[in-house]
Amino acid sequence: MSASIKVFAPATVANVVCGYDVLGFAVNEPGDEVIMKLTEGSGIRITKITGDEGRLPLDPQKNTVSASVQHYLNHIGKPDVGVEIELHKKMPIGSGLGSSSASTVAGLFAVNTLFDNLLTNKELVPFAMKGEELACGYGHADNVAPALLGGFVLIRSYQPLDIISLPHPDDLYAAIVYPEVDVPTKDARQMIRSKVLLKDAVTQWGNVAGLVSGLFMKDYDLIGRSMTDILVEPTRSILIPDFYKLRSLAMKTGATGFGISGSGPSVFALTKDEATARAITQKLQQHLKGIGINSLSFVSEVNKKGPVILD
Amino acid sequence: MSASIKVFAPATVANVVCGYDVLGFAVNEPGDEVIMKLTEGSGIRITKITGDEGRLPLDPQKNTVSASVQHYLNHIGKPDVGVEIELHKKMPIGSGLGSSSASTVAGLFAVNTLFDNLLTNKELVPFAMKGEELACGYGHADNVAPALLGGFVLIRSYQPLDIISLPHPDDLYAAIVYPEVDVPTKDARQMIRSKVLLKDAVTQWGNVAGLVSGLFMKDYDLIGRSMTDILVEPTRSILIPDFYKLRSLAMKTGATGFGISGSGPSVFALTKDEATARAITQKLQQHLKGIGINSLSFVSEVNKKGPVILD
């Protein structure tokens, strides 16, 4: 065996404002790349990681890519296959854009392709969730499921896992800005209260239902009206510099809706077209620069494919 | 003026299990009838109420039908118009089937028709909510909105009011059984805890999103899987005799999903066809009879029209 494959998997925006832990969508950029080769030897080796500034472990038991690939190999009854992995991080770590998820999904898609697609992308979700557990102490699916399936994804239930692909308007764009401040996912989760008022929960699930309806109806206004989070955003926004100012700028510049990507600090807007998305990232980056914060930005259509083979 | 009109408005199933306070649907039967006549005199008179066993007030300020009609007349700038109303209750009061809502909606649809449909049915919702406030101390919309619009309705938001009509599979049937025990809406609401665990709320809004998706996708399995309520049903079910036995019987007989209608004590199942719905009501009524409880049952398609003019 000497097959080799290069795979791209997309970044993702989890929660989508009101859908904490149940909604997410994928974008066309950024994302990560994995090059994988089956070898004559035995066991998984990570031969190279680029773009991580030395932050990710090469130890195959600690790295989320290799760990989830090992789960996959165990599952298909080939635990001792030799695998060499190169990971090329093409997106910031700890940015709230599903960085670990993109790497893990690229690895799983690669190994599954090398083994003739024994599993569907949907069936790969639980393996990717194992990687998330390793990366952030909690096996959530709202990044890995959209990274694997593309588009918008609903995780209706975790036990049992029940994943539904949702439609979206064809021309929906995402404008993402990553302010370069540090917000570890674990801390961001721990800040959130464990109890909430039922009446606030009702408000929230009205919005979740509205967002899902808006996606099916391709109704931008309804999507936008529904992108309101009264439970999690008020807490998480504290960690994001000038969050409400950024929101106000985005909305004034024509955003359909705006919010925190995953646990932050990245923020995102959904827009009806590319020009609006670009105008928003420009305004937001300008504002952040004005308060002394460097940022990165990404503009792309909502991803429709999930991971893809490159070359 | 001596125009007269007879209107039917449908019963409704609020909450639809997971969608507490935000979802509801209408059925073709039961429902209430209102006969309304504009008169030369001034002010609203309730000339007759049948089918209420003397439980509803004839005082136009206390009766939900006349009170909401008065709100409507005030709004259109004709507060002193003479109106005579006959209300024919054709459904049980306090059953959890939107009894007050059916009467109120029939009255509002009648007066709006007599005034050449100055408002749309959707615009009538806030007037009907005034009636609900009078009837149960809380101006909710999850009965009146589906009664006015037919089909499944989402109340995305109460402030501002945002009502979305949802699609449903054409052949969706409802099987309703009303065990004749008393569960006042006010008490049923007060039993519910005001605080909930965020993780339970997440489970709930996953199901709400799943149910809405299932309705759009016409996916009976997804509709059924999503009809789970971990927040409200565990408390409310205490007031319903043998609730979990009834659920088990309904599901074994082929129900897509099963739950409490509104605040109970009526229970309902959604089914793929009429025969299954009939089999379910039969099994449930038989069981209730066995434990000494009288019941009424109703089987109908999900209502597609809202209120209609009779004759």
Side-chain angles (χ1 to χ4, degrees), chain A residues 114-160:
Chain A
L114 290 174
F115 283 98
D116 296 330
N117 297 303
L118 282 174
L119 301 185
T120 65
N121 282 14
K122 200 186 243 190
E123 287 166 343
L124 292 176
V125 173
F127 298 92
M129 287 170 70
K130 290 278 186 188
E132 291 296 86
E133 208 174 325
L134 194 61
C136 39
Y138 174 70
H140 61 110
D142 48 357
N143 288 114
V144 293
L148 274 162
L149 302 175
F152 278 76
V153 173
L154 163 68
I155 297 99
R156 183 197 65 82
S157 156
Y158 277 85
Q159 291 176 318

Side-chain angles (χ1 to χ4, degrees), chain A residues 20 22 154 156 162 166 192-198 204-207 209-210 212-213 216-217 222 225-226, chain B residues 20 22 154 156 162 164 166 192 194-198 204-207 209-210 212-213 216-217 225-226 231:
Chain A
Y20 181 67
V22 308
L154 163 68
R156 183 197 65 82
D162 189 6
L166 304 177
I192 299 167
R193 286 167 306 168
S194 63
K195 280 199 170 186
V196 299
L197 290 173
L198 176 61
Q204 194 92 353
W205 65 62
N207 283 317
V212 169
S213 299
F216 274 98
M217 297 161 79
L222 177 55
R225 295 199 301 278
S226 305
Chain B
Y20 179 68
V22 307
L154 163 68
R156 184 197 65 83
D162 189 6
I164 318 292
L166 304 177
I192 299 166
S194 63
K195 280 199 169 186
V196 299
L197 290 173
L198 176 61
Q204 194 91 353
W205 66 61
N207 282 318
V212 169
S213 300
F216 274 97
M217 296 161 78
R225 294 200 301 278
S226 305
L231 291 180

Side-chain angles (χ1 to χ4, degrees), chain B residues 92-131:
Chain B
I93 296 170
S95 54
L97 295 170
S99 173
S100 61
S101 157
S103 304
T104 303
V105 164
L108 282 167
F109 188 82
V111 72
N112 190 48
T113 305
L114 291 174
F115 283 98
D116 296 330
N117 297 302
L118 282 174
L119 301 184
T120 64
N121 282 14
K122 200 185 242 190
E123 287 167 341
L124 292 176
V125 173
F127 299 91
M129 287 171 70
K130 290 278 185 189

Side-chain angles (χ1 to χ4, degrees), chain A residues 87-104:
Chain A
L87 170 59
H88 300 285
K89 295 293 305 175
K90 306 249 170 166
M91 59 182 290
I93 296 170
S95 54
L97 295 170
S99 173
S100 62
S101 157
S103 303
T104 303

Side-chain angles (χ1 to χ4, degrees), chain A residues 54-76:
Chain A
R55 291 168 67 180
L56 298 180
L58 284 160
D59 178 345
Q61 298 200 347
K62 291 182 183 162
N63 186 290
T64 62
V65 182
S66 42
S68 51
V69 167
Q70 186 65 59
H71 276 291
Y72 174 91
L73 293 173
N74 296 348
H75 176 81
I76 66 166

Side-chain angles (χ1 to χ4, degrees), chain A residues 12-19 23-28 151-153 167-177 210-212 214-215 219-228 246-247 249-261 267-281 284 298-303:
Chain A
T12 41
V13 172
N15 300 342
V16 200
V17 187
C18 52
L23 289 175
F25 68 87
V27 290
N28 284 339
F152 278 76
V153 173
H168 65 268
D170 278 341
D171 43 0
L172 195 63
Y173 270 78
I176 293 172
V177 173
L211 176 53
V212 169
L215 290 169
D219 179 335
Y220 283 96
D221 279 349
L222 177 55
I223 290 170
R225 295 199 301 278
S226 305
M227 285 172 65
T228 304
L246 296 177
R247 164 193 285 284
L249 280 170
M251 296 311 289
K252 273 186 205 156
T253 312
T256 294
F258 176 87
I260 303 170
S261 178
V267 293
F268 78 102
L270 289 177
T271 70
K272 286 183 205 182
D273 56 63
E274 185 174 353
T276 308
R278 295 215 177 273
I280 289 169
T281 55
L284 268 51
F298 308 94
V299 167
S300 86
E301 280 188 296
V302 170
N303 171 292

